[in-house]
PDB file of all heavy atoms in Angstrom:
ATOM      1  N   PRO A  32     -10.370  20.110   5.482  1.00  0.00           N
ATOM      2  CA  PRO A  32     -11.517  20.737   6.159  1.00  0.00           C
ATOM      3  C   PRO A  32     -12.225  19.768   7.216  1.00  0.00           C
ATOM      4  O   PRO A  32     -12.313  18.615   6.935  1.00  0.00           O
ATOM      5  CB  PRO A  32     -12.466  21.124   4.992  1.00  0.00           C
ATOM      6  CG  PRO A  32     -11.630  21.104   3.849  1.00  0.00           C
ATOM      7  CD  PRO A  32     -10.505  20.076   4.035  1.00  0.00           C
ATOM      8  N   ALA A  33     -12.604  20.387   8.284  1.00  0.00           N
ATOM      9  CA  ALA A  33     -13.394  19.512   9.361  1.00  0.00           C
ATOM     10  C   ALA A  33     -14.811  19.151   8.807  1.00  0.00           C
ATOM     11  O   ALA A  33     -15.274  19.796   7.842  1.00  0.00           O
ATOM     12  CB  ALA A  33     -13.479  20.410  10.583  1.00  0.00           C
ATOM     13  N   VAL A  34     -15.231  18.110   9.388  1.00  0.00           N
ATOM     14  CA  VAL A  34     -16.546  17.583   8.960  1.00  0.00           C
ATOM     15  C   VAL A  34     -17.660  18.105  10.033  1.00  0.00           C
ATOM     16  O   VAL A  34     -17.471  17.930  11.197  1.00  0.00           O
ATOM     17  CB  VAL A  34     -16.554  16.018   8.918  1.00  0.00           C
ATOM     18  CG1 VAL A  34     -17.924  15.530   8.538  1.00  0.00           C
ATOM     19  CG2 VAL A  34     -15.544  15.554   7.879  1.00  0.00           C
ATOM     20  N   SER A  35     -18.766  18.612   9.434  1.00  0.00           N
ATOM     21  CA  SER A  35     -19.853  18.987  10.255  1.00  0.00           C
ATOM     22  C   SER A  35     -21.186  18.615   9.605  1.00  0.00           C
ATOM     23  O   SER A  35     -21.447  18.777   8.534  1.00  0.00           O
ATOM     24  CB  SER A  35     -19.768  20.503  10.504  1.00  0.00           C
ATOM     25  OG  SER A  35     -20.948  21.008  11.191  1.00  0.00           O
ATOM     26  N   VAL A  36     -22.089  17.989  10.512  1.00  0.00           N
ATOM     27  CA  VAL A  36     -23.382  17.683  10.020  1.00  0.00           C
ATOM     28  C   VAL A  36     -24.327  18.180  11.134  1.00  0.00           C
ATOM     29  O   VAL A  36     -24.301  17.648  12.287  1.00  0.00           O
ATOM     30  CB  VAL A  36     -23.574  16.090   9.910  1.00  0.00           C
ATOM     31  CG1 VAL A  36     -24.986  15.750   9.392  1.00  0.00           C
ATOM     32  CG2 VAL A  36     -22.533  15.518   8.878  1.00  0.00           C
ATOM     33  N   THR A  37     -25.067  19.212  10.863  1.00  0.00           N
ATOM     34  CA  THR A  37     -25.924  19.808  11.839  1.00  0.00           C
ATOM     35  C   THR A  37     -27.322  19.953  11.293  1.00  0.00           C
ATOM     36  O   THR A  37     -27.591  19.839  10.117  1.00  0.00           O
ATOM     37  CB  THR A  37     -25.379  21.241  12.224  1.00  0.00           C
ATOM     38  OG1 THR A  37     -25.236  22.037  11.037  1.00  0.00           O
ATOM     39  CG2 THR A  37     -23.998  21.075  12.814  1.00  0.00           C
ATOM     40  N   ASP A  38     -28.271  20.399  12.178  1.00  0.00           N
ATOM     41  CA  ASP A  38     -29.677  20.658  11.726  1.00  0.00           C
ATOM     42  C   ASP A  38     -29.775  21.987  11.157  1.00  0.00           C
ATOM     43  O   ASP A  38     -29.406  23.007  11.849  1.00  0.00           O
ATOM     44  CB  ASP A  38     -30.554  20.493  12.946  1.00  0.00           C
ATOM     45  CG  ASP A  38     -30.710  19.118  13.501  1.00  0.00           C
ATOM     46  OD1 ASP A  38     -30.470  18.153  12.694  1.00  0.00           O
ATOM     47  OD2 ASP A  38     -31.052  18.932  14.709  1.00  0.00           O
ATOM     48  N   ALA A  39     -30.223  22.090   9.961  1.00  0.00           N
ATOM     49  CA  ALA A  39     -30.575  23.389   9.289  1.00  0.00           C
ATOM     50  C   ALA A  39     -32.000  23.613   9.523  1.00  0.00           C
ATOM     51  O   ALA A  39     -32.358  24.814   9.771  1.00  0.00           O
ATOM     52  CB  ALA A  39     -30.242  23.348   7.824  1.00  0.00           C
ATOM     53  N   CYS A  40     -32.876  22.746   9.335  1.00  0.00           N
ATOM     54  CA  CYS A  40     -34.314  22.831   9.625  1.00  0.00           C
ATOM     55  C   CYS A  40     -34.782  21.696  10.452  1.00  0.00           C
ATOM     56  O   CYS A  40     -34.186  20.578  10.396  1.00  0.00           O
ATOM     57  CB  CYS A  40     -35.095  22.955   8.329  1.00  0.00           C
ATOM     58  SG  CYS A  40     -34.657  24.210   7.163  1.00  0.00           S
ATOM     59  N   THR A  41     -35.831  21.803  11.227  1.00  0.00           N
ATOM     60  CA  THR A  41     -36.409  20.767  12.005  1.00  0.00           C
ATOM     61  C   THR A  41     -37.892  20.622  11.688  1.00  0.00           C
ATOM     62  O   THR A  41     -38.599  21.592  11.246  1.00  0.00           O
ATOM     63  CB  THR A  41     -36.261  20.976  13.526  1.00  0.00           C
ATOM     64  OG1 THR A  41     -37.050  22.053  13.922  1.00  0.00           O
ATOM     65  CG2 THR A  41     -34.713  21.153  13.864  1.00  0.00           C
ATOM     66  N   ILE A  42     -38.423  19.444  11.931  1.00  0.00           N
ATOM     67  CA  ILE A  42     -39.904  19.187  11.751  1.00  0.00           C
ATOM     68  C   ILE A  42     -40.737  20.112  12.682  1.00  0.00           C
ATOM     69  O   ILE A  42     -41.687  20.735  12.272  1.00  0.00           O
ATOM     70  CB  ILE A  42     -40.230  17.754  11.999  1.00  0.00           C
ATOM     71  CG1 ILE A  42     -39.565  16.900  10.875  1.00  0.00           C
ATOM     72  CG2 ILE A  42     -41.744  17.571  11.975  1.00  0.00           C
ATOM     73  CD1 ILE A  42     -39.805  15.360  11.076  1.00  0.00           C
ATOM     74  N   GLY A  43     -40.170  20.261  13.946  1.00  0.00           N
ATOM     75  CA  GLY A  43     -40.972  21.126  14.887  1.00  0.00           C
ATOM     76  C   GLY A  43     -41.016  22.561  14.510  1.00  0.00           C
ATOM     77  O   GLY A  43     -42.042  23.174  14.617  1.00  0.00           O
ATOM     78  N   ASP A  44     -39.884  23.064  13.992  1.00  0.00           N
ATOM     79  CA  ASP A  44     -39.885  24.563  13.689  1.00  0.00           C
ATOM     80  C   ASP A  44     -40.199  24.838  12.307  1.00  0.00           C
ATOM     81  O   ASP A  44     -40.727  25.931  11.965  1.00  0.00           O
ATOM     82  CB  ASP A  44     -38.444  25.072  13.929  1.00  0.00           C
ATOM     83  CG  ASP A  44     -38.107  25.108  15.436  1.00  0.00           C
ATOM     84  OD1 ASP A  44     -39.068  25.136  16.238  1.00  0.00           O
ATOM     85  OD2 ASP A  44     -36.916  25.032  15.797  1.00  0.00           O
ATOM     86  N   ASP A  45     -39.842  23.938  11.398  1.00  0.00           N
ATOM     87  CA  ASP A  45     -39.988  24.262   9.965  1.00  0.00           C
ATOM     88  C   ASP A  45     -40.970  23.313   9.140  1.00  0.00           C
ATOM     89  O   ASP A  45     -41.187  23.568   7.938  1.00  0.00           O
ATOM     90  CB  ASP A  45     -38.668  24.228   9.285  1.00  0.00           C
ATOM     91  CG  ASP A  45     -37.628  25.135  10.030  1.00  0.00           C
ATOM     92  OD1 ASP A  45     -37.811  26.369   9.999  1.00  0.00           O
ATOM     93  OD2 ASP A  45     -36.735  24.551  10.648  1.00  0.00           O
ATOM     94  N   GLY A  46     -41.468  22.248   9.807  1.00  0.00           N
ATOM     95  CA  GLY A  46     -42.275  21.315   9.099  1.00  0.00           C
ATOM     96  C   GLY A  46     -41.579  20.243   8.393  1.00  0.00           C
ATOM     97  O   GLY A  46     -42.187  19.314   7.842  1.00  0.00           O
ATOM     98  N   ALA A  47     -40.223  20.303   8.222  1.00  0.00           N
ATOM     99  CA  ALA A  47     -39.479  19.275   7.606  1.00  0.00           C
ATOM    100  C   ALA A  47     -38.021  19.335   8.096  1.00  0.00           C
ATOM    101  O   ALA A  47     -37.561  20.438   8.509  1.00  0.00           O
ATOM    102  CB  ALA A  47     -39.460  19.511   6.119  1.00  0.00           C
ATOM    103  N   ALA A  48     -37.416  18.254   8.194  1.00  0.00           N
ATOM    104  CA  ALA A  48     -36.016  18.150   8.652  1.00  0.00           C
ATOM    105  C   ALA A  48     -35.037  18.300   7.463  1.00  0.00           C
ATOM    106  O   ALA A  48     -35.219  17.616   6.484  1.00  0.00           O
ATOM    107  CB  ALA A  48     -35.833  16.825   9.307  1.00  0.00           C
ATOM    108  N   VAL A  49     -34.040  19.107   7.590  1.00  0.00           N
ATOM    109  CA  VAL A  49     -33.036  19.317   6.598  1.00  0.00           C
ATOM    110  C   VAL A  49     -31.735  19.458   7.353  1.00  0.00           C
ATOM    111  O   VAL A  49     -31.674  20.198   8.250  1.00  0.00           O
ATOM    112  CB  VAL A  49     -33.253  20.591   5.717  1.00  0.00           C
ATOM    113  CG1 VAL A  49     -32.034  20.779   4.743  1.00  0.00           C
ATOM    114  CG2 VAL A  49     -34.627  20.506   5.022  1.00  0.00           C
ATOM    115  N   SER A  50     -30.697  18.693   6.951  1.00  0.00           N
ATOM    116  CA  SER A  50     -29.310  18.775   7.516  1.00  0.00           C
ATOM    117  C   SER A  50     -28.447  19.694   6.751  1.00  0.00           C
ATOM    118  O   SER A  50     -28.556  19.739   5.524  1.00  0.00           O
ATOM    119  CB  SER A  50     -28.739  17.364   7.695  1.00  0.00           C
ATOM    120  OG  SER A  50     -29.576  16.600   8.556  1.00  0.00           O
ATOM    121  N   HIS A  51     -27.543  20.349   7.415  1.00  0.00           N
ATOM    122  CA  HIS A  51     -26.475  21.149   6.778  1.00  0.00           C
ATOM    123  C   HIS A  51     -25.272  20.372   6.898  1.00  0.00           C
ATOM    124  O   HIS A  51     -24.765  20.042   8.044  1.00  0.00           O
ATOM    125  CB  HIS A  51     -26.306  22.459   7.492  1.00  0.00           C
ATOM    126  CG  HIS A  51     -25.255  23.342   6.799  1.00  0.00           C
ATOM    127  ND1 HIS A  51     -23.924  23.283   7.177  1.00  0.00           N
ATOM    128  CD2 HIS A  51     -25.352  24.250   5.776  1.00  0.00           C
ATOM    129  CE1 HIS A  51     -23.196  24.076   6.460  1.00  0.00           C
ATOM    130  NE2 HIS A  51     -24.048  24.762   5.618  1.00  0.00           N
ATOM    131  N   VAL A  52     -24.655  19.939   5.771  1.00  0.00           N
ATOM    132  CA  VAL A  52     -23.464  19.092   5.726  1.00  0.00           C
ATOM    133  C   VAL A  52     -22.289  19.878   5.161  1.00  0.00           C
ATOM    134  O   VAL A  52     -22.390  20.486   4.093  1.00  0.00           O
ATOM    135  CB  VAL A  52     -23.694  17.860   4.914  1.00  0.00           C
ATOM    136  CG1 VAL A  52     -22.586  16.949   4.900  1.00  0.00           C
ATOM    137  CG2 VAL A  52     -24.962  17.100   5.372  1.00  0.00           C
ATOM    138  N   SER A  53     -21.118  19.895   5.797  1.00  0.00           N
ATOM    139  CA  SER A  53     -19.924  20.574   5.426  1.00  0.00           C
ATOM    140  C   SER A  53     -18.820  19.671   5.508  1.00  0.00           C
ATOM    141  O   SER A  53     -18.416  19.077   6.603  1.00  0.00           O
ATOM    142  CB  SER A  53     -19.757  21.783   6.234  1.00  0.00           C
ATOM    143  OG  SER A  53     -18.554  22.460   5.921  1.00  0.00           O
ATOM    144  N   PHE A  54     -17.987  19.417   4.400  1.00  0.00           N
ATOM    145  CA  PHE A  54     -16.778  18.651   4.517  1.00  0.00           C
ATOM    146  C   PHE A  54     -15.984  18.849   3.156  1.00  0.00           C
ATOM    147  O   PHE A  54     -16.532  19.385   2.196  1.00  0.00           O
ATOM    148  CB  PHE A  54     -17.139  17.140   4.578  1.00  0.00           C
ATOM    149  CG  PHE A  54     -18.158  16.613   3.619  1.00  0.00           C
ATOM    150  CD1 PHE A  54     -17.747  16.318   2.323  1.00  0.00           C
ATOM    151  CD2 PHE A  54     -19.407  16.328   3.979  1.00  0.00           C
ATOM    152  CE1 PHE A  54     -18.683  15.778   1.414  1.00  0.00           C
ATOM    153  CE2 PHE A  54     -20.403  15.781   3.117  1.00  0.00           C
ATOM    154  CZ  PHE A  54     -20.016  15.562   1.761  1.00  0.00           C
ATOM    155  N   GLY A  55     -14.719  18.414   3.222  1.00  0.00           N
ATOM    156  CA  GLY A  55     -13.857  18.430   2.029  1.00  0.00           C
ATOM    157  C   GLY A  55     -14.096  17.396   1.031  1.00  0.00           C
ATOM    158  O   GLY A  55     -14.782  16.431   1.368  1.00  0.00           O
ATOM    159  N   SER A  56     -13.481  17.493  -0.123  1.00  0.00           N
ATOM    160  CA  SER A  56     -13.684  16.525  -1.189  1.00  0.00           C
ATOM    161  C   SER A  56     -13.048  15.222  -0.896  1.00  0.00           C
ATOM    162  O   SER A  56     -13.297  14.156  -1.561  1.00  0.00           O
ATOM    163  CB  SER A  56     -13.168  17.083  -2.508  1.00  0.00           C
ATOM    164  OG  SER A  56     -11.885  17.438  -2.385  1.00  0.00           O
ATOM    165  N   HIS A  57     -12.186  15.113   0.108  1.00  0.00           N
ATOM    166  CA  HIS A  57     -11.441  13.886   0.448  1.00  0.00           C
ATOM    167  C   HIS A  57     -11.821  13.409   1.951  1.00  0.00           C
ATOM    168  O   HIS A  57     -10.909  13.044   2.662  1.00  0.00           O
ATOM    169  CB  HIS A  57      -9.888  14.066   0.350  1.00  0.00           C
ATOM    170  CG  HIS A  57      -9.504  14.361  -1.120  1.00  0.00           C
ATOM    171  ND1 HIS A  57      -9.007  13.378  -1.883  1.00  0.00           N
ATOM    172  CD2 HIS A  57      -9.580  15.510  -1.791  1.00  0.00           C
ATOM    173  CE1 HIS A  57      -8.836  13.956  -3.136  1.00  0.00           C
ATOM    174  NE2 HIS A  57      -9.088  15.202  -3.028  1.00  0.00           N
ATOM    175  N   THR A  58     -13.047  13.537   2.239  1.00  0.00           N
ATOM    176  CA  THR A  58     -13.662  13.119   3.545  1.00  0.00           C
ATOM    177  C   THR A  58     -13.994  11.707   3.525  1.00  0.00           C
ATOM    178  O   THR A  58     -14.579  11.121   2.584  1.00  0.00           O
ATOM    179  CB  THR A  58     -14.935  14.037   3.770  1.00  0.00           C
ATOM    180  OG1 THR A  58     -14.546  15.358   4.004  1.00  0.00           O
ATOM    181  CG2 THR A  58     -15.647  13.434   4.991  1.00  0.00           C
ATOM    182  N   GLY A  59     -13.642  11.093   4.673  1.00  0.00           N
ATOM    183  CA  GLY A  59     -14.039   9.671   4.968  1.00  0.00           C
ATOM    184  C   GLY A  59     -13.573   8.784   3.811  1.00  0.00           C
ATOM    185  O   GLY A  59     -12.427   8.892   3.262  1.00  0.00           O
ATOM    186  N   THR A  60     -14.379   7.812   3.504  1.00  0.00           N
ATOM    187  CA  THR A  60     -13.993   6.871   2.378  1.00  0.00           C
ATOM    188  C   THR A  60     -14.226   7.535   1.016  1.00  0.00           C
ATOM    189  O   THR A  60     -15.405   8.044   0.819  1.00  0.00           O
ATOM    190  CB  THR A  60     -14.958   5.645   2.525  1.00  0.00           C
ATOM    191  OG1 THR A  60     -14.945   5.016   3.814  1.00  0.00           O
ATOM    192  CG2 THR A  60     -14.542   4.532   1.472  1.00  0.00           C
TER     193      THR A  60
END
Side-chain angles (χ1 to χ4, degrees):
V34 179
S35 174
V36 182
T37 57
D38 292 335
C40 302
T41 65
I42 293 175
D44 292 337
D45 308 289
V49 176
S50 298
H51 181 273
V52 183
S53 176
F54 53 77
S56 56
H57 296 263
T58 290
T60 307

